[in-house]
Amino acid sequence: MLEELQRVVEALAHRLGRAVAVDDLDFRLLAYSTHADAGDEWRARVILSRGAPPEAVAWLRRQRLGRATGPVRLPAENDLGILPRLVVPVVYQDVRFGYLWLFDTEDSLTGAQLELASAAAAEAGAICFRERVVSHLRTAREGELVRDLLSEDPQVRGMASARLVEENLFALRGDVTAVVARPLPAGADGVDEDDRIALQAAVNTASARLGDRGSLRLVRPDHAVLVMPSATLRRSPELPEALRTTSLERLGRSAKWRDVHVAVGSPARRLDDAVTSYTQALDALRVAEVVPSFAPLVAHESLGIYALLAAQPIDQLGTYGVHPAVRRLLEADRQLFTTAELYLDRAGDARATATELGLHRASVYHRVRRIEDVTELDLSDGQHRLLLHLGIKVSRLLGLA
């Protein structure tokens, strides 16, 4: 698309003998001519940064260009370094895609030249429209294949993996990692269609940072998925945070959402094994929701024992995972439960436990004895410690503590 827009811009600049540019609806530069004229400070800044500075965007918004149905002359704005220019909406089939710009410092454009500019804007609109159609078709095809890639059927996954590479939808570069973003509703309402559109926009923004064929996208009923080369994530570790931030911005209605959690699965060696990384990311989200210390950004590799526990069916954990000793501790004293967890997390180090709890070591020893009395376990016995530690983590995962 950019090459075609550049051709339109250069042709018009040649015929009119003046500089021409095309922006998108957010005034980000898409194409500009190489015509040598005086230009202005704003044009120079736009070419250098590919977008208008914030103060210029605010001024342009006040011109109400979104309502324009034909060419509009804009006056100079000396404080912003803007010379007079003509702007023509880039529209096709009643869909607005951006704006075509011409310098017109002396109000010298003739009617015939205006017609040429309008025709060029219409041609640019047709190019943008075709690109949008192709992009939608590509996104739909990509979504179809990514759904198959995350299937439980190994044969379906293998075929999807091959198609994604053969159809140039994904550039395979070693192992891959799945990143999943899930909004957490503040109330009973879940993710609706508007929210899924917002998630799609957020994941598209993140995907655009990775370049053409640099990632795969899918939006499911309550979460969004990005699959990318693991090397990309190692080079850009800020991507999960960027996805979370963009998701929150796109969702917009802050009263509806508690937060957005983003989880990263462990690398999968082959593309058709991406489902493993995806499943691990879902497990990590499950842990982060009930163990706040992992939220809002969580990696499966950082879960420790929770990675093993979260991979178990929830009904089996509920039936077999919580030992009676742990239940007695929960019912007896939540303060003792917290102390037991921290004491076991610190490998039985009373000094470290006391420091973290703000207690004297003697108080920790006293609590340990009470824990042993309530649970009927001997915390000097490794097997007993393991039983209690696992039981505590399972109860956390089940939301009992």
Side-chain angles (χ1 to χ4, degrees), residues 170-188:
F170 187 66
L172 193 57
R173 302 185 182 94
D175 55 3
V176 297
T177 298
V179 179
V180 179
R182 173 181 285 158
L184 303 179

Side-chain angles (χ1 to χ4, degrees), residues 102-379:
L102 296 168
F103 278 111
D104 192 23
T105 56
E106 299 176 356
D107 195 9
S108 59
L109 284 167
T110 66
Q113 289 176 319
L114 287 177
E115 289 183 6
L116 288 174
S118 296
E123 185 178 357
I127 292 169
C128 292
F129 183 82
R130 288 197 302 273
E131 174 66 18
R132 177 171 292 185
V133 170
V134 170
S135 177
H136 285 176
L137 290 172
R138 178 187 176 100
T139 299
R141 178 60 172 160
E142 178 183 327
E144 175 187 342
L145 290 173
V146 175
R147 277 190 291 274
D148 287 346
L149 185 69
L150 303 181
S151 164
E152 294 181 0
D153 187 328
Q155 187 173 358
V156 171
R157 296 200 302 267
M159 292 176 63
S161 173
R163 290 283 183 270
L164 285 163
V165 175
E166 290 170 5
E167 296 178 24
N168 285 322
L169 294 172
F170 187 66
L172 193 57
R173 302 185 182 94
D175 55 3
V176 297
T177 298
V179 179
V180 179
R182 173 181 285 158
L184 303 179
D189 293 337
V191 178
D192 60 27
E193 184 60 27
D194 288 342
D195 300 325
R196 281 189 285 275
I197 292 172
L199 273 180
Q200 184 71 65
V203 83
N204 287 350
T205 299
S207 179
R209 298 179 56 176
L210 305 180
D212 185 42
R213 302 186 300 134
S215 65
L216 297 169
R217 301 156 290 173
L218 179 65
V219 174
R220 293 201 136 160
D222 69 344
H223 62 271
V225 188
L226 264 179
V227 177
M228 67 189 74
S230 302
T232 299
L233 195 56
R234 288 192 290 270
R235 287 195 302 270
S236 304
E238 75 284 355
L239 281 171
E241 174 62 39
L243 177 58
R244 174 175 176 266
T245 301
T246 306
S247 298
L248 286 168
E249 290 172 353
R250 294 288 187 172
L251 288 165
R253 292 168 290 172
S254 57
K256 182 177 179 180
W257 308 106
R258 286 186 285 129
D259 203 345
V260 173
H261 287 177
V262 176
V264 180
S266 298
R269 288 190 176 184
R270 302 184 308 174
L271 182 56
D272 54 357
D273 287 332
V275 66
T276 302
S277 183
Y278 168 64
T279 301
Q280 291 170 343
L282 293 179
D283 287 344
L285 286 175
R286 178 179 155 200
V287 173
E289 192 163 353
V290 295
V291 186
S293 60
F294 285 109
L297 303 174
V298 56
H300 182 264
E301 293 180 338
S302 71
L303 293 180
I305 189 59
Y306 283 115
L308 175 63
L309 297 176
Q312 309 306 310
I314 191 73
D315 56 340
Q316 288 188 19
L317 280 180
T319 303
Y320 305 112
V322 183
H323 191 274
V326 180
R327 294 188 184 278
R328 288 196 297 273
L329 191 61
L330 277 167
E331 293 166 2
D333 190 334
R334 290 300 176 100
Q335 187 181 68
L336 285 183
F337 181 92
T338 301
T339 302
E341 182 176 27
L342 185 58
Y343 179 74
L344 294 168
D345 284 346
R346 299 295 177 270
D349 187 333
R351 183 191 297 274
T353 305
T355 300
E356 191 148 345
L357 291 175
L359 299 172
H360 191 278
R361 260 190 300 169
S363 297
V364 172
Y365 289 131
H366 175 69
R367 288 189 184 184
V368 168
R369 286 194 296 272
R370 288 184 60 203
I371 291 166
E372 290 178 324
D373 289 340
V374 170
T375 61
E376 300 176 6
L377 297 174
D378 179 2
L379 295 188

